[in-house]
């Protein structure tokens, strides 16, 4: 049966290299003396046209000529900067103005020339990473600013329900987890993206978030968990407002595909959609488009991937990404890497689920490659990576600088590949559309809860002591003044709902003095465990009073804007009887999450027999 229909399957302009900035040994002759391009006397630097810029490169600062790039950026539709080259072609790293800029002591050649030049090169090589990442004076500072200007920034959350997902709590050591949403856009907004993505009739159309992965970094930085959501997932979206046009996108009434969230104002609506579904607070997002994937894959130098048979993702109807690989392991980069990440026709059952697995294999392999090449000694390679990474990404404003990205990278690299767990959100075929999927209620919620509670998905956490829930500081009203709506949530994937369960429990509450308790006669829903929800802080005490009366733990009392008053949902853990008995919490990762460990080097994609070649 055909499943999961999608849009058509789909290099970045030349990135400016560091040599374009004049960071080049040609500033000195073979004896270590300055050439004409290095400034004639007293450390005076030249500007990008070769004209004097007296005072811009004094011996005390070593700064070269002024940079033009800061004023040479144009704003796109959403105000994101478009980089324009124009940095000083003669700028030198700090510290080279005195001896390298002329006019200093021992300007001539002689026996001392070569050692001085070697020392300068060694000093420069040793400090290049600091110049690139942290910035100093002169050319290093200008280049740092240039990299910052490369980064495109957008609002983190465009929803109006930001209180849905509480911020992660610190552990006993004061450390907090980090949740980062990774978004892959299919935008055809440039000639390059159009060429890479195909589907010419969609140029300039509304972009889709065709890759969505939530990366969770544990508070103690010992492990990392990733949850992918298939792009064909149907769900409800919150109200979002475009920060540039001020256009309001109302909350959806029915179910829509998750990848359309990006077109509702930008990546901040994708963040809001994830928070609405998972109740996980998202700290940052990082978005990349087709050309960004290609340029990053090239900069990394190739990512090894594996197929269990020769594969060619193309059929007579034009379906497929065009990926063509021989059986076994092949390093992919550039357009081939993009094709791997976009391949649906050719992997497993030709659905988006297979594509998600291929993306997990690629990410794990990429992490291993980056760790393997973490100590890069080639300054040109470092600069190329810095240029490529900053130009490829759109991030939230809280992550919008080289220094912040560098700090994040340092946090991420603390996790060994063996403690990285890739998963796919547990799903089931949608009732409303057999070509789409929807979250599998109980198992998807279990996976989300593990992330919310910072529980490692690989099951290798040290045993954690449960944190006691504090009683509300707002006193509860008298029992007979507390309104309670009781809902039936006893339906499960395997069992139908228990009839009349909401009425039974509401009568139990009336007998305990909560005379305003009433049963909701709406159709039964699915709730794994019994929960009591309240909409605002002034009702927390009331909700906790209901929990205490029934013996329900205070950890089951949750703030939620989904309800208008205290609402008790009788879950699948309380299908019978009048005494609630909380079952032991299951902290294992559901099998349906399709776990892939980051250290698994022999992962190989299964090729669909209809897309093999010989």
């Amino acid at each position: 049966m055909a499943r999961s229909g999608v849009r058509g399957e789909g290099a970045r302009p030349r990135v400016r290299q560091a040599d374009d900035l004049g960071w080049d040994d040609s500033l000195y002759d073979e004896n270590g003396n300055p050439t004409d391009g290095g400034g004639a006397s007293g450390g005076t630097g030249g500007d990008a046209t070769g004209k004097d810029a007296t005072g811009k490169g004094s011996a005390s600062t070593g700064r070269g000529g002024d940079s033009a790039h800061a004023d040479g950026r144009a704003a796109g539709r959403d105000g994101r900067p478009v980089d324009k080259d124009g940095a000083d072609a003669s700028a030198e790293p700090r510290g080279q103005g005195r001896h390298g800029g002329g006019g200093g002591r021992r300007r001539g050649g002689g026996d001392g020339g070569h050692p001085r030049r070697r020392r300068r090169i060694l000093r420069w090589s040793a400090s290049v990473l600091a110049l690139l990442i942290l910035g100093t004076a002169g050319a290093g500072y200008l280049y740092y600013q240039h990299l910052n200007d490369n980064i495109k920034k957008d609002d983190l959350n465009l929803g109006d329900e930001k209180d849905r997902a509480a911020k992660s709590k610190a552990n006993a050591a004061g450390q907090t987890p980090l949740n980062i949403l990774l978004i892959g856009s299919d935008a055809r907004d440039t000639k390059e993206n159009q060429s890479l993505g195909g589907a010419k009739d969609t140029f300039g159309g509304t972009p889709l978030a065709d890759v969505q992965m939530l990366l969770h970094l544990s508070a103690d930085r010992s492990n990392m968990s990733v949850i992918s959501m298939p792009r064909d997932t149907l769900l409800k979206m919150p109200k979002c407002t475009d920060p540039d046009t001020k256009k309001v996108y109302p909350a959806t009434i029915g179910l829509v595909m998750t990848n359309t969230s990006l077109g509702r104002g930008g990546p901040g609506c994708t963040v809001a959609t994830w928070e609405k579904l998972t109740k996980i607070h998202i700290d940052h997002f990082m978005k990349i488009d087709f050309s960004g994937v290609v340029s990053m894959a090239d900069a990394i130098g190739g990512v090894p991937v594996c197929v269990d048979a020769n594969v060619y993702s193309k059929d007579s109807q034009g379906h497929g990404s065009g990926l063509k690989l021989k059986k076994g392991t092949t390093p992919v980069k550039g357009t081939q890497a993009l094709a791997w990440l976009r391949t649906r026709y050719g992997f497993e059952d030709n659905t988006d689920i297979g594509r998600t697995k291929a993306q997990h294999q690629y990410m794990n392999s990429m992490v291993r490659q980056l760790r393997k090449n973490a100590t890069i000694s080639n300054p040109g390679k470092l600069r190329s990576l810095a240029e490529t990474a900053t130009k490829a990404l759109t991030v939230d404003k809280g992550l919008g600088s080289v220094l912040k990205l560098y700090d994040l990278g340092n946090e991420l690299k603390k996790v060994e590949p063996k403690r990285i767990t890739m998963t796919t959100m547990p799903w089931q075929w949608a009732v409303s559309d057999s070509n789409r999927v929807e979250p599998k209620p109980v198992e998807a919620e279990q996976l989300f809860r593990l992330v919310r509670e910072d529980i490692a998905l690989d099951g290798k956490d040290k045993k954690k002591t449960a944190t006691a829930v504090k009683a509300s500081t707002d006193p509860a009203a008298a029992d007979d003044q507390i309104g309670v709506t009781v809902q039936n949530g006893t339906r499960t994937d395997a069992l139908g709902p228990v009839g009349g369960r909401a009425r039974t429990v509401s009568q139990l509450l009336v007998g305990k003095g909560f005379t305003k308790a009433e049963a909701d006669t709406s159709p039964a829903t699915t709730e794994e465990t019994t929960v009591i929800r309240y909409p605002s802080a002034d009702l927390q005490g009331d909700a906790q009073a209901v929990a205490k009366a029934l013996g329900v733990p205070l950890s089951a009392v949750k703030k939620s804007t989904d309800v208008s008053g205290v609402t008790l949902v009788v879950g699948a853990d309380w299908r019978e009887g009048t005494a609630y008995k909380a079952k032991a919490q299951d902290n294992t990762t559901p099998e349906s999450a399709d776990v892939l460990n980051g250290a698994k080097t022999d992962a190989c994609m299964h090729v669909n027999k209809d897309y093999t070649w010989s």
Side-chain angles (χ1 to χ4, degrees):
M1 175 170 61
R3 296 285 191 189
S4 200
V6 298
R7 292 171 53 148
E9 307 276 0
R12 205 154 172 86
R14 172 186 177 271
V15 296
R16 183 168 55 167
Q17 302 298 319
D19 289 344
D20 299 334
L21 294 175
W23 289 4
D24 182 333
D25 284 339
S26 65
L27 293 175
Y28 303 92
D29 64 22
E30 62 181 0
N31 293 319
N33 295 319
T35 63
D36 291 341
S41 65
T44 301
D47 67 12
T49 64
K51 297 178 182 178
D52 274 348
T54 305
K56 298 273 188 181
S58 68
S60 62
T61 65
R63 296 188 181 186
D66 194 15
S67 168
H69 78 269
D71 295 323
R73 291 176 285 121
R77 176 193 67 79
D78 55 0
R80 299 169 183 166
V82 179
D83 180 64
K84 182 176 180 181
D85 293 347
D88 180 6
S90 66
E92 301 170 14
R94 183 175 183 175
Q96 293 185 359
R98 178 169 296 178
H99 298 302
R105 293 169 293 177
R106 300 180 64 181
R107 176 173 176 170
D111 294 339
H114 289 293
R116 283 201 309 277
R117 179 170 183 265
R118 284 195 293 271
R119 284 196 298 272
R120 276 193 296 268
I121 293 171
L122 287 172
R123 284 198 303 271
W124 186 84
S125 298
S127 63
V128 66
L129 185 57
L131 287 172
L132 289 175
I133 301 302
L134 302 177
T136 58
Y141 176 76
L142 292 176
Y143 192 56
Y144 170 71
Q145 289 299 104
H146 162 70
L147 292 177
N148 275 339
D149 288 340
N150 280 348
I151 303 169
K152 296 176 286 293
K153 296 173 278 291
D154 217 327
D155 291 351
L156 174 61
N157 193 318
L158 304 183
D160 63 348
E161 303 175 25
K162 298 183 180 66
D163 63 335
R164 299 185 63 92
K167 289 187 177 182
S168 303
K169 295 180 180 178
N171 62 13
Q175 303 165 301
T176 55
L178 270 178
N179 296 309
I180 304 164
L181 189 62
L182 309 179
I183 305 169
S185 166
D186 79 341
R188 271 79 164 177
D189 53 355
T190 65
K191 289 183 178 179
E192 185 180 11
N193 278 333
Q194 183 67 64
S195 175
L196 292 168
K200 295 180 180 179
D201 59 331
T202 64
F203 183 79
T206 303
L208 299 173
D210 275 355
V211 177
Q212 298 177 42
M213 297 182 182
L214 180 64
L215 185 155
H216 172 81
L217 182 62
S218 68
D220 63 5
R221 306 304 188 250
S222 67
N223 66 89
M224 186 189 303
S225 303
V226 177
I227 301 176
S228 285
M229 186 188 299
R231 74 167 195 172
D232 292 341
T233 301
L234 295 179
L235 42 69
K236 290 184 179 181
M237 292 188 189
K239 174 184 174 183
C240 290
T241 303
D242 189 309
D244 300 315
T245 66
K246 307 306 178 187
K247 179 177 178 179
V248 176
Y249 295 85
T252 62
I253 298 174
L255 301 175
V256 294
M257 274 181 60
T258 182
N259 63 351
T260 62
S261 60
L262 188 59
R264 292 165 54 87
C269 193
T270 307
V271 169
T273 300
W274 270 79
E275 288 199 353
K276 177 180 175 67
L277 174 69
T278 67
K279 310 298 188 296
I280 297 170
H281 175 76
I282 295 175
D283 300 286
H284 299 292
F285 74 78
M286 302 174 73
K287 179 174 77 73
I288 192 168
D289 59 14
F290 292 150
S291 58
V293 170
V294 170
S295 59
M296 284 295 291
D298 281 339
I300 292 168
V303 174
V305 294
C306 177
V307 288
D308 65 3
N310 295 345
V311 62
Y312 182 44
S313 178
K314 186 68 70 175
D315 64 15
S316 57
Q317 283 83 40
H319 296 141
S321 66
L323 177 73
K324 189 172 186 179
L325 293 176
K326 291 183 178 180
K327 177 181 178 179
T329 300
T330 305
V332 295
K333 61 181 181 178
T335 55
Q336 200 175 35
L338 177 63
W340 174 274
L341 293 169
R342 300 189 69 211
T343 295
R344 177 168 76 96
Y345 292 97
F347 289 155
E348 301 199 351
D349 58 354
N350 298 332
T351 69
D352 192 47
I353 307 303
R355 169 164 39 201
T356 299
K357 292 180 181 179
Q359 291 165 355
H360 289 170
Q361 184 188 139
Y362 181 92
M363 282 192 66
N364 278 342
S365 186
M366 180 179 69
V367 168
R368 292 194 297 268
Q369 284 296 104
L370 288 172
R371 292 180 68 90
K372 180 180 177 182
N373 298 321
T375 53
I376 300 173
S377 58
N378 184 323
K381 179 74 171 177
L382 282 170
R383 289 190 296 265
S384 177
L385 280 168
E387 284 280 354
T388 301
T390 53
K391 285 185 176 181
L393 296 173
T394 298
V395 301
D396 64 278
K397 294 173 183 176
L399 201 57
S401 74
V402 174
L403 182 57
K404 289 177 180 178
L405 287 171
Y406 176 72
D407 288 342
L408 174 61
N410 278 337
E411 294 298 290
L412 294 173
K413 74 180 183 181
K414 293 177 182 178
V415 181
E416 296 288 337
K418 64 183 180 181
R419 295 299 314 276
I420 297 175
T421 306
M422 295 279 179
T423 65
T424 299
M425 176 195 75
W427 56 272
Q428 62 191 21
W429 295 113
V431 175
S432 59
D433 186 341
S434 60
N435 287 323
R436 309 294 181 213
V437 302
E438 59 189 13
K440 200 169 187 178
V442 173
E443 293 173 34
E445 170 53 26
Q446 180 173 336
L447 189 64
F448 300 152
R449 179 183 62 78
L450 294 178
V451 170
R452 286 196 301 268
E453 297 180 8
D454 196 26
I455 297 171
L457 299 187
D458 62 5
K460 296 179 181 178
D461 261 341
K462 294 179 181 178
K463 191 171 183 180
K464 296 181 179 180
T465 303
T467 303
V469 178
K470 294 181 180 179
S472 173
T473 56
D474 182 60
D479 292 350
D480 62 358
Q481 295 300 308
I482 299 175
V484 186
T485 300
V486 182
Q487 297 176 344
N488 186 346
T490 56
R491 180 189 295 276
T492 70
D493 291 341
L495 301 170
V498 178
R501 194 67 185 141
R503 184 176 64 254
T504 299
V505 176
S506 65
Q507 290 173 350
L508 174 63
L509 278 171
V510 170
K512 291 180 177 290
F514 294 85
T515 55
K516 290 188 175 182
E518 294 182 350
D520 185 341
T521 58
S522 301
T525 58
T526 299
E527 197 76 50
E528 182 181 9
T529 59
T530 297
V531 62
I532 301 172
R533 298 189 173 103
Y534 64 96
S536 55
D538 61 318
L539 291 178
Q540 183 184 27
D542 293 359
Q544 289 188 350
V546 173
K548 290 175 182 176
L550 295 174
V552 174
L554 293 186
S555 59
V557 177
K558 309 286 185 182
K559 184 180 179 182
S560 171
T561 54
D562 281 341
V563 296
S564 57
V566 176
T567 304
L568 164 65
V569 185
V570 183
D573 61 341
W574 196 10
R575 290 174 62 88
E576 59 185 13
T578 55
Y580 178 77
K581 295 179 181 179
K583 68 176 184 179
Q585 202 167 49
D586 181 5
N587 288 337
T588 59
T589 301
E591 290 186 15
S592 56
D594 201 12
V595 170
L596 177 64
N597 183 268
K600 186 174 176 60
T601 58
D602 59 350
C604 214
M605 284 303 298
H606 175 62
V607 176
N608 187 288
K609 61 181 179 61
D610 295 330
Y611 290 84
T612 57
W613 59 278
S614 58

